[in-house]
């Protein structure tokens, strides 16, 4: 078959189907909306699939089902609804109707429930109706919709052709529903905060910019709901959460989409240790309840699609907890100079006495790891340099559930400094499979400290950091009214679903991922 043959064949099939639709229009209403199914395919299979043929005959069960025709083999057809599939038996009176159908057509059928000689459940075509004429043919039944880009662009066809894709999104819905139930059961209040903001805040990221015509001002799609949720805690809601979209004007990858779903929740009179306990309990119960096991298997595949490696993540065991500094030492143990510098960095007195030498050794580590630093790298603090080394040399190696704690204050502009060492904050990030899934910390509720950190972020932005935060005067004012001791956390729903469904790309868990226009 030459390159042009397939489009020509498809165009011919579409023309034939349009001709059939034209004939239906001449007969009357071509798109009726009077048929009402009373059963789902999967429910019928579950309830009657194990019954004997004679038992079904005696029962005389009559059902009404509706779905898309996916197979037509003469005497038997097969339809698919949202739940699954079931066969249809073509009676003598229904033969002309069956012959007139094309794969993809949506039909409604009412008839008695029986079992074939092979033991397959089927509905007899006693009453039948074409509900929707499909003008485009379905993908080849043997190969399905395999083209990855087409699957993402035409998700509607992907869902028809690949039942396992529907299962992924059903599981996603169950995961989100469980999280809501879990938080509601712990007295958290679900709220909604603005997605269109005058000042983007709550994270370090480049925002999308738009313009509000009536107000004649530029506005931003939110990068995080954090600052609004904490305003609500100031107002007296001690436990709040939101599950909604965030938008970040960043690149596309297997882990990044410009719009993504986040859970953020805040609990007054709690610290980051409380949230680590909550997170461990939430994820353990989530896997046990939704997946049926605390062990989650992920696979990697070769170019032919064969499984090349397998890893089991165990949510049933206690999660590891390790400081960022210690993790850099553990995963760079062959670099004695770096390890010694990190040890100095962890001790306030040694840090001050050896600041210049620590900096030079961190520079050397960045060079060794091929980390590109800005030309004016001397303006970077030691904590920022430590974080760069951590992200490059440690993150991808954190396979089993692990909390990394004690993030430097300069990369944590909204987190509370540690009482033991103000160089670090009471913050953690949760990793599994080499991916960051969650970020949480004891909230900074010192209005004056927050104002100073916002000013430092403004200086970074003026120096060319597009992801640095704006100064939010209203948020500082809210803190001046008094934010109780609070801990907050964000969990990336998309990445969590990727993990729990063994999906290699974020596009596999987004119904409509961002794509370059055709």
């Amino acid at each position: 078959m030459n390159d042009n043959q397939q489009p020509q064949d498809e165009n011919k099939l579409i023309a034939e189907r349009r001709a059939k639709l034209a004939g239906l229009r001449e007969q009357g209403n071509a798109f009726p909306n009077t048929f009402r199914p009373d059963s789902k395919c999967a429910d019928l299979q579950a309830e009657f699939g194990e019954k004997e043929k004679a038992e079904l005959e005696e029962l005389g069960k009559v059902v009404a089902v509706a779905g898309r025709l996916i197979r037509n083999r003469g005497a038997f057809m097969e339809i698919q609804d949202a739940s699954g599939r079931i066969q249809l038996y073509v009676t003598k009176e229904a033969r002309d109707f069956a012959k007139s159908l094309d794969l993809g057509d949506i039909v409604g059928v009412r008839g008695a429930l029986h079992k074939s000689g092979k033991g397959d459940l089927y509905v007899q075509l006693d009453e039948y109706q074409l509900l929707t004429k499909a003008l485009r043919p379905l993908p080849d039944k043997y190969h399905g919709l395999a083209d990855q880009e087409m699957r993402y662009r035409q998700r509607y066809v992907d869902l028809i052709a690949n039942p396992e894709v529907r299962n992924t999104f059903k599981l996603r819905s169950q995961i989100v529903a469980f999280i809501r139930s879990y938080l509601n059961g712990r007295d958290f209040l679900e709220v909604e905060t603005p997605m269109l903001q005058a000042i983007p805040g709550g994270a370090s990221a480049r925002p999308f910019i738009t313009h509000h015509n009536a107000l004649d001002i530029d506005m931003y799609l939110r990068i995080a709901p954090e600052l609004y949720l904490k305003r609500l805690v100031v107002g007296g809601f001690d436990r709040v959460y939101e599950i909604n979209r965030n938008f970040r004007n960043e690149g596309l990858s297997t882990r990044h989409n410009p719009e993504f779903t986040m859970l953020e929740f805040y609990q007054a009179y709690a610290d980051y240790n409380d949230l680590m306990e909550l997170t461990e309990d939430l994820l353990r119960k989530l896997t046990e309840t939704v997946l049926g096991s605390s062990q989650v298997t992920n696979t990697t595949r070769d170019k032919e699609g064969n499984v090349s490696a397998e890893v089991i993540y165990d949510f049933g065991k206690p999660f590891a907890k390790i400081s960022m500094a210690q993790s850099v030492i553990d995963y760079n143990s062959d670099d004695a100079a770096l390890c010694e510098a990190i040890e100095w960095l962890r001790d306030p007195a040694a840090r001050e006495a050896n600041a210049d030498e620590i900096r030079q050794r961190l520079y050397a580590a960045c060079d060794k790891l091929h980390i590109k630093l800005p030309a004016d790298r001397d303006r970077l603090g030691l904590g920022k340099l430590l974080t760069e080394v951590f992200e490059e040399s440690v993150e991808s190696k954190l396979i089993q559930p692990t909390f990394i704690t004690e993030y430097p204050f300069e990369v944590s502009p909204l987190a509370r400094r540690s009482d033991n060492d103000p160089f670090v904050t009471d913050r953690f990030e949760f990793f599994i499979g080499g991916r960051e899934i969650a970020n949480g910390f004891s909230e900074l509720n010192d209005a004056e400290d927050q104002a100073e950190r916002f000013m430092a972020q403004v200086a970074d932005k003026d120096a060319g950091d597009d992801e640095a935060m704006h100064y939010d005067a209203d948020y500082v004012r809210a803190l001046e009214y008094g934010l109780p001791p609070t801990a907050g956390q964000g969990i990336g729903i998309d990445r969590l679903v990727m993990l729990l469904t063994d999906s290699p790309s974020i596009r596999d868990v987004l119904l409509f991922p961002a794509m370059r226009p055709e």
Side-chain angles (χ1 to χ4, degrees), residues 271-278 321 428 442 487:
D271 65 14
Y272 78 131
N273 290 300
D274 297 307
L275 293 197
M276 282 191 280
E277 291 180 10
L278 184 151
K321 294 183 180 69
F428 69 84
S442 302

Side-chain angles (χ1 to χ4, degrees), residues 259-374:
E259 56 175 315
F260 56 97
T261 302
M262 283 286 292
L263 159 70
E264 287 207 18
F265 58 96
Y266 292 84
Q267 180 175 338
Y269 312 108
D271 65 14
Y272 78 131
N273 290 300
D274 297 307
L275 293 197
M276 282 191 280
E277 291 180 10
L278 184 151
T279 301
E280 187 167 340
D281 184 64
L282 166 63
L283 295 179
R284 182 168 297 128
K285 289 178 177 174
L286 169 62
T287 54
E288 291 173 348
T289 302
V290 177
L291 304 182
S293 172
S294 60
Q295 294 189 337
V296 177
T297 301
N298 274 200
T299 57
T300 54
R301 299 179 181 273
D302 58 25
K303 293 181 180 179
E304 286 72 38
N306 301 313
V307 175
S308 58
E310 185 177 277
V311 60
I312 297 176
Y313 305 119
D314 194 343
F315 289 88
K317 295 179 179 178
F319 296 0
K321 294 183 180 69
I322 182 173
S323 71
M324 177 188 286
Q326 186 60 51
S327 73
V328 171
I329 291 174
D330 291 347
Y331 287 93
N332 295 273
S333 57
D334 59 336
D335 190 336
L338 173 63
C339 292
E340 184 179 37
I342 301 302
E343 292 290 2
W344 290 339
L345 197 61
R346 300 171 73 179
D347 179 83
R351 182 170 62 238
E352 183 176 356
N354 299 283
D356 291 339
E357 181 62 23
I358 294 171
R359 175 176 292 276
Q360 295 307 315
R361 294 189 185 188
L362 288 172
Y363 285 161
C366 289
D367 291 341
K368 181 179 178 181
L369 294 166
H370 306 291
I371 298 170
K372 187 176 181 180
L373 298 176

Side-chain angles (χ1 to χ4, degrees), residues 489-500:
Q489 182 175 336
I491 296 178
I493 296 296
D494 305 317
R495 290 186 182 180
L496 179 61
V497 175
M498 285 173 63
L499 179 82
L500 298 184

Side-chain angles (χ1 to χ4, degrees), residues 250-259 506-507 513-516:
E250 301 169 342
L252 299 173
S253 75
T254 57
R255 299 186 189 183
H256 296 89
N257 195 69
E259 56 175 315
I506 194 171
R507 293 182 175 185
M515 304 286 290
R516 188 183 298 277

